[in-house]
Amino acid sequence: DLADLIHFAAMGDQFVGGKNIYTMDSDQDGLTDAQELALGTNPFSSDTDSDGLTDLEEVQQDLNPIQQGKERSYGLKLWHNF
């Protein structure tokens, strides 16, 4: 669950239930669980703000994935090119 994922990440442990959070994509939206934690999005929901765009689509379009509407992300960048 989300609490376990946050706990393990905060403790510097990259493995949750034997899976690596840097490769695991629990909601299958194209962002790893570690990326979602860094962004503040929900790793168990492909559309954290429920606006019809996946979290990845919003990041790719430089939109804010945690607020509904089309707010800009103010240059939020990920460490991985999509």
Side-chain angles (χ1 to χ4, degrees), residues 36 39 44 48 53 59 61 72 79-81:
E36 298 235 27
L39 289 168
F44 299 104
T48 297
L53 294 173
V59 170
Q61 295 175 36
R72 304 305 287 174
W79 59 88
H80 186 281
N81 293 325

Side-chain angles (χ1 to χ4, degrees), residues 27-42:
D27 59 12
Q28 299 185 9
D29 64 356
L31 294 170
T32 68
D33 290 357
Q35 290 172 317
E36 298 235 27
L37 289 174
L39 289 168
T41 56
N42 183 345

Side-chain angles (χ1 to χ4, degrees), residues 3-80:
D4 286 339
L5 188 62
I6 291 170
H7 170 77
F8 281 102
M11 299 302 293
D13 192 346
Q14 67 186 28
F15 294 97
V16 177
K19 296 183 180 179
N20 186 325
I21 65 170
Y22 294 98
T23 58
M24 186 167 55
D25 181 8
S26 295
D27 59 12
Q28 299 185 9
D29 64 356
L31 294 170
T32 68
D33 290 357
Q35 290 172 317
E36 298 235 27
L37 289 174
L39 289 168
T41 56
N42 183 345
F44 299 104
S45 173
S46 62
D47 183 9
T48 297
D49 62 6
S50 302
D51 66 355
L53 294 173
T54 67
D55 296 338
L56 176 61
E57 290 171 327
E58 293 191 71
V59 170
Q60 289 174 327
Q61 295 175 36
D62 199 30
L63 300 174
N64 188 332
I66 56 176
Q67 288 186 320
Q68 283 189 346
K70 302 298 177 229
E71 293 85 3
R72 304 305 287 174
S73 68
Y74 303 106
L76 180 64
K77 300 295 180 203
L78 295 175
W79 59 88
H80 186 281

